Amino acid sequence: MNANKLNNSGREVPLAFGVGEKAAPTDRAGLTPRNRLLASLPQEILASLRPHLRPVRLPRGRVLCEAGDSRWRVYFVESGVVSLVTGDRASVTAATVGREGAVGGPTVLLGGGLVCGRYQMLVPGSALVMEAPQFRIALQDTLDFRSLCEVYTQAFFVQVLQNLACGKLHTAEQRSARWLLMCDDQTEDDACELGADSLAAMLGVPPSVGDAVASRLQEGGLIHLRQGSITVLDRRQLEATACVCYRIVRHYYERLGDHYYDRPLAQKNT
Ligand SMILES: [Zn+2]
């Protein structure tokens, strides 16, 4: 891919930084991405994309894109967790995105050219941002990049579908364990800055139900709750508690590459 071509052929006016977005203190020239999609690319392709990636910090609650947006940019998530929520007053969390993925362009690959749902920071973090024109050109010019984004988009779509079934078929405790494992995979931090109220919102249950489930998991020694953060203590037990949806969705993401997640499955054959 030709860097000059990328610079000169964009037709859209690049969007300015959104409210709450600030450049993260990263040396763009020497960028080593934590984002799994970018890190999976061959070095020469990553080198051609680097000039078009801009680091930003993303506080909790920041909306990255809204349903119906036709002007979008791509956020390759470096840290934190983004939730895809649908609905107005009674929002439902349809999917989450962390270091394993991206928001914006890859989901637009599903067709229509419009963003579906609202993507909002659930756990504060950072991302590398690419504007839409450069993303489109990279997809056209670089087969490896396009293939990666297509496989990612399929995995993301599976997550949305599985969440739909999960909400109908599995208990709040099973679903809590599943969301917590996903957050642990997506952040790969010791403690996830996710309050019990956020857990309830992800489950679509009243806060009292979310609190009760989180307390049971803590009493069982699976997690540790602190003000505004949850630490996973026992992945093996959490995997045993989680519904099958966790493994189904993870399987599709692991098609993106061996060792796609730092966290190995504690139980291989269940
Ligand atoms: Zn489930």
Side-chain angles (χ1 to χ4, degrees):
M1 185 170 50
N2 184 310
N4 289 329
K5 183 179 177 185
L6 283 176
N7 283 332
N8 297 330
S9 58
R11 293 177 186 167
E12 295 184 5
V13 178
L15 297 172
F17 270 48
V19 175
E21 288 181 8
K22 292 180 180 173
T26 307
D27 171 14
R28 204 189 299 185
L31 206 60
T32 302
R34 296 184 75 225
N35 178 270
R36 292 290 188 190
L37 285 172
L38 294 176
S40 301
L41 290 168
Q43 278 301 316
E44 65 273 19
I45 295 175
L46 181 58
S48 70
L49 298 180
R50 272 199 182 101
H52 309 287
L53 294 166
R54 186 180 58 205
V56 292
R57 281 198 182 123
L58 300 168
R60 188 192 309 278
R62 165 81 178 122
V63 175
L64 305 186
C65 44
E66 290 264 21
D69 281 353
S70 58
R71 297 177 69 203
W72 43 267
R73 53 164 75 110
V74 184
Y75 294 82
F76 294 96
V77 179
E78 290 270 280
S79 63
V81 178
V82 187
S83 61
L84 166 59
V85 292
T86 60
D88 188 6
R89 289 184 182 176
S91 346
V92 174
T93 301
T96 54
V97 181
R99 278 178 59 196
E100 83 295 345
V103 167
T107 51
V108 172
L109 280 178
L110 288 170
L114 293 177
V115 174
C116 307
R118 183 173 75 249
Y119 291 84
Q120 189 163 14
M121 293 307 293
L122 179 70
V123 175
S126 62
L128 295 171
V129 178
M130 183 184 286
E131 301 298 340
Q134 282 73 41
F135 180 73
R136 287 201 181 100
I137 291 166
L139 287 181
Q140 288 167 10
D141 288 2
T142 315
L143 187 59
D144 284 353
F145 184 61
R146 183 172 187 92
S147 299
L148 194 71
C149 288
E150 286 174 346
V151 175
Y152 171 72
T153 302
Q154 186 185 27
F156 182 80
F157 189 52
V158 167
Q159 188 195 158
V160 173
L161 285 179
Q162 199 66 38
N163 287 346
L164 198 64
C166 191
K168 298 285 184 190
L169 298 174
H170 299 134
T171 66
E173 194 150 333
Q174 288 176 309
R175 291 161 56 214
S176 293
R178 180 206 166 199
W179 280 116
L180 290 169
L181 285 167
M182 285 177 57
C183 280
D184 196 44
D185 288 340
Q186 289 171 332
T187 61
E188 294 169 353
D189 291 332
D190 290 339
C192 184
E193 289 186 50
L194 180 74
D197 54 338
S198 299
L199 184 62
M202 289 164 74
L203 296 172
V205 298
S208 59
V209 175
D211 288 348
V213 171
S215 294
R216 281 201 299 277
L217 293 174
Q218 177 164 247
E219 285 162 12
L222 281 65
I223 60 172
H224 177 63
L225 297 168
R226 256 183 306 182
Q227 187 81 28
S229 78
I230 298 177
T231 302
V232 171
L233 299 178
D234 188 339
R235 273 192 68 103
R236 179 177 291 274
Q237 282 303 315
L238 217 47
E239 286 178 22
T241 304
C243 53
V244 68
C245 302
Y246 171 66
R247 283 171 178 270
I248 291 172
V249 173
R250 180 167 162 140
H251 166 75
Y252 278 86
Y253 282 98
E254 287 180 331
R255 292 177 63 222
L256 286 156
D258 294 336
H259 311 297
Y260 200 66
Y261 291 106
D262 278 352
R263 305 275 202 255
L265 283 174
Q267 301 184 46
K268 292 286 184 191
N269 300 311
T270 56

